[in-house]
């Protein structure tokens, strides 16, 4: 399911991409940690470049697997795939990628129609950042 309402690279995320260009051992960590949240759609909030956090983050962030994939040009897209398991009933309506498993800087912010999860349900997210 594609993110429906809004998906943006945050202002901080643009800096993350720039810092990752610094050679073989950049000091900027890979933004491979995926978080989910609740409360975005209910508050009529959409993802914005100024976002630094999810509305109300729930669950532990997934440590995603990052890769380069092709959308239009060879390797023009950074992709992160991760799975989060709900520990309670959730009405998830936002997700984001971060450069740390807790706290950290938000790279991508996304809001979407509510996905209802029961305790124990898993949600696999694929987040793509295309460079155009």
């Amino acid at each position: 399911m594609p993110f429906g309402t809004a998906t943006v690279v945050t202002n901080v995320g643009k800096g993350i991409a720039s810092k990752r260009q610094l050679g073989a051992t950049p000091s900027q960590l890979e933004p491979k940690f995926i978080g989910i949240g609740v409360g975005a759609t209910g508050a009529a909030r959409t993802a914005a470049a100024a976002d630094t956090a999810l509305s109300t983050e729930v669950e532990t962030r997934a440590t995603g697997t990052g890769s380069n994939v092709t959308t239009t040009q060879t390797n023009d897209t950074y992709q992160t795939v991760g799975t989060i398991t709900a520990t309670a009933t959730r009405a998830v309506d936002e997700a984001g990628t971060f450069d740390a498993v807790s706290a950290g800087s938000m790279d991508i912010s996304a809001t979407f129609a509510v996905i209802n999860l029961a305790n124990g349900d898993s949600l696999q997210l694929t987040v793509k950042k295309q460079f155009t």
Side-chain angles (χ1 to χ4, degrees):
M1 170 178 134
F3 294 128
T5 305
T7 303
V8 299
V9 176
T10 65
N11 294 333
V12 172
K14 292 174 186 174
I16 289 172
S18 175
K19 290 176 189 174
R20 295 277 304 163
Q21 301 294 314
L22 294 175
T25 56
S27 60
Q28 174 61 55
L29 298 174
E30 181 181 355
K32 65 180 180 178
F33 303 96
I34 303 172
I36 58 173
V38 300
T41 302
R45 183 182 98 55
T46 60
D51 288 348
T52 58
L54 298 171
S55 295
T56 303
E57 190 167 351
V58 295
E59 307 306 344
T60 300
R61 291 179 187 164
T63 301
T65 300
S67 63
N68 291 105
V69 298
T70 299
T71 301
T72 305
Q73 302 294 323
T74 302
N75 294 322
D76 65 347
T77 303
Y78 170 75
Q79 173 178 283
T80 306
V81 179
T83 302
I84 297 174
T85 302
T87 59
T89 300
R90 306 280 188 208
V92 177
D93 57 6
E94 61 181 337
T97 57
F98 300 83
D99 66 356
V101 72
S102 62
S105 298
M106 181 181 240
D107 181 44
I108 294 176
S109 177
T111 56
F112 44 85
V114 171
I115 299 172
N116 290 304
L117 301 174
N119 185 12
D121 283 352
S122 292
L123 179 63
Q124 183 181 58
L125 295 114
T126 301
V127 182
K128 295 181 178 185
K129 180 182 194 178
Q130 183 183 7
F131 293 85
T132 58

